[in-house]
Amino acid sequence: MADEAKAKGNAAFYSGDYTTAIKHFSDAIALAPTNHVLFSNRSAAYASLQKYDDALNDAKKTVELKPDWSKGYSRLGAAHLGLTQYKDAIVAYKKGLDFDPNNEALKSGLADAESAAAASSSRSRAAPQSPNPFADSFAGPEMWAKLTADPSTRPYLLQPDFVKMMQEIQKNPNNLNLYLKDQRVMQALGALLNVKFRAPNGGEDMDIPETDEKKPTSANAPVEERSREPEPMDVSEEEREAKEKKAQALKEKELGNAAYKKKDFETAIAHYTKAIELYDEDISFITNRAAVYLEMGKVSNSSFA
């Protein structure tokens, strides 16, 4: 009976129905209250809903029941990380690595926790008395995650001047006052505060849409000239192959976007990874994959036992 409820919970989790997954895992726990895997799985489901307090409670129960199981410490680290308890997250990940030194998920989690802790410490030193009421909105990796996840701000991450402005604001939130006239910064602020502004170029998709506006033409140009298609350019074999790879990568990205909308996160990650392998010069492939990892609860080891 417990195994059946667990299987239903796993299926619900992978379909993106985390609330139902939690229900099934809870049913399984009621039947097998000493099964550490069930608490681990429910912790992952809570983390996916950003209910990190509940995720932490289940993670603690997991390591209590099975103190030598590395995945339990991965759940513990992820919950602490979600609660911005960076030092506790670091301790948890390191403890897990004591049991499984080659675990890539634990290594990745530890790197994220240490990076977040360093960024938090840097902000504290740079602006210990920051009066800016929006300071917390620009804190840590959460800022980039929100900008990546929001269709109205995701295209801006491809623009170096915007990225630089956001980095400056993250270093010192008071720098926000320097960039308030930039519409992109205002749009980003709205995304971070969950206040929706009208985005001048916002998309509804994970794609960054290509413009379909017609280029202005001279009013005096003959009709034939204005409607003529440009002559194709001669390209080398190398350029042709690069163009084909880019086109294939964009198709992989589209497949990843479709899987993301269906909450089929594993498939989405596979497609984005393939896109990166084919054409690594488009940052949107990387930011889209990062958004999926965040959607999965900030853990790359969300597979169940």
Side-chain angles (χ1 to χ4, degrees):
M1 292 290 290
D3 287 341
E4 182 179 350
K6 173 191 172 185
K8 290 180 179 179
N10 290 355
F13 182 94
Y14 283 118
S15 70
D17 188 355
Y18 306 121
T19 301
T20 299
I22 290 169
K23 177 183 179 300
H24 288 306
F25 291 140
S26 297
D27 290 342
I29 288 170
L31 296 167
T34 60
N35 187 322
H36 62 283
V37 173
L38 298 176
F39 285 97
S40 172
N41 289 5
R42 191 171 69 175
S43 178
Y46 276 130
S48 297
L49 291 174
Q50 298 185 10
K51 294 183 176 181
Y52 296 114
D53 285 318
D54 293 321
L56 181 61
N57 289 334
D58 276 355
K60 287 180 176 179
K61 186 65 176 179
T62 302
V63 298
E64 176 188 325
L65 291 170
K66 187 70 172 175
D68 60 347
W69 193 47
S70 64
K71 184 171 286 188
Y73 296 98
S74 182
R75 301 299 188 208
L76 190 62
H80 280 306
L81 189 57
L83 292 168
T84 67
Q85 298 168 353
Y86 304 130
K87 291 183 179 180
D88 290 331
I90 291 171
V91 170
Y93 286 125
K94 286 184 175 180
K95 183 68 173 178
L97 287 169
D98 286 342
F99 293 105
D100 189 357
N102 297 317
N103 188 295
E104 291 300 325
L106 287 166
K107 291 179 181 179
S108 176
L110 177 59
D112 289 343
E114 289 178 335
S115 176
S120 178
S121 176
S122 176
R123 286 194 304 274
S124 298
R125 291 194 300 270
Q129 302 296 329
S130 175
N132 194 307
F134 304 126
D136 290 342
S137 301
F138 298 97
E142 293 84 3
M143 180 192 80
W144 299 107
K146 288 182 180 179
L147 296 179
T148 299
D150 193 304
S152 69
T153 56
R154 189 180 307 115
Y156 301 153
L157 297 177
L158 294 176
Q159 301 169 10
D161 61 328
F162 172 78
V163 173
K164 184 177 180 180
M165 284 189 289
M166 297 308 296
Q167 288 173 335
E168 291 298 322
I169 294 171
Q170 196 169 48
K171 288 179 183 176
N172 184 354
N174 289 326
N175 287 334
L176 175 64
N177 297 325
L178 302 176
Y179 305 118
L180 286 177
K181 290 184 180 181
D182 193 302
Q183 177 62 37
R184 297 170 299 173
V185 174
M186 291 300 296
Q187 192 70 28
L189 180 60
L192 296 173
L193 296 176
N194 200 27
V195 176
K196 296 298 181 183
F197 298 137
R198 182 181 295 275
N201 293 306
E204 296 298 329
D205 194 310
M206 291 195 73
D207 281 324
I208 299 171
E210 298 288 338
T211 179
D212 57 2
E213 294 181 0
K214 290 183 170 54
K215 295 181 180 179
T217 58
S218 170
N220 297 323
V223 174
E224 294 84 352
E225 182 179 341
R226 280 183 280 160
S227 61
R228 187 185 303 137
E229 291 293 328
E231 292 292 330
M233 296 178 60
D234 292 329
V235 295
S236 67
E237 186 65 25
E238 184 177 331
E239 290 173 323
R240 186 178 295 108
E241 289 181 2
K243 186 176 181 180
E244 290 175 355
K245 284 187 176 181
K246 182 177 180 180
Q248 293 173 11
L250 290 172
K251 288 182 180 179
E252 291 291 337
K253 175 184 175 183
E254 291 173 2
L255 293 171
N257 293 348
Y260 177 86
K261 288 181 178 180
K262 295 177 182 178
K263 296 188 179 297
D264 185 355
F265 301 134
E266 296 292 344
T267 300
I269 289 172
H271 285 303
Y272 292 139
T273 301
K274 181 65 175 177
I276 294 168
E277 292 173 353
L278 288 166
Y279 187 76
D280 60 3
E281 296 181 19
D282 190 331
I283 194 174
S284 69
F285 302 158
I286 300 172
T287 55
N288 283 10
R289 187 173 66 174
V292 178
Y293 278 125
L294 245 92
E295 190 77 13
M296 294 175 72
K298 298 183 180 178
V299 286
S300 59
N301 64 317
S302 58
S303 58
F304 291 139

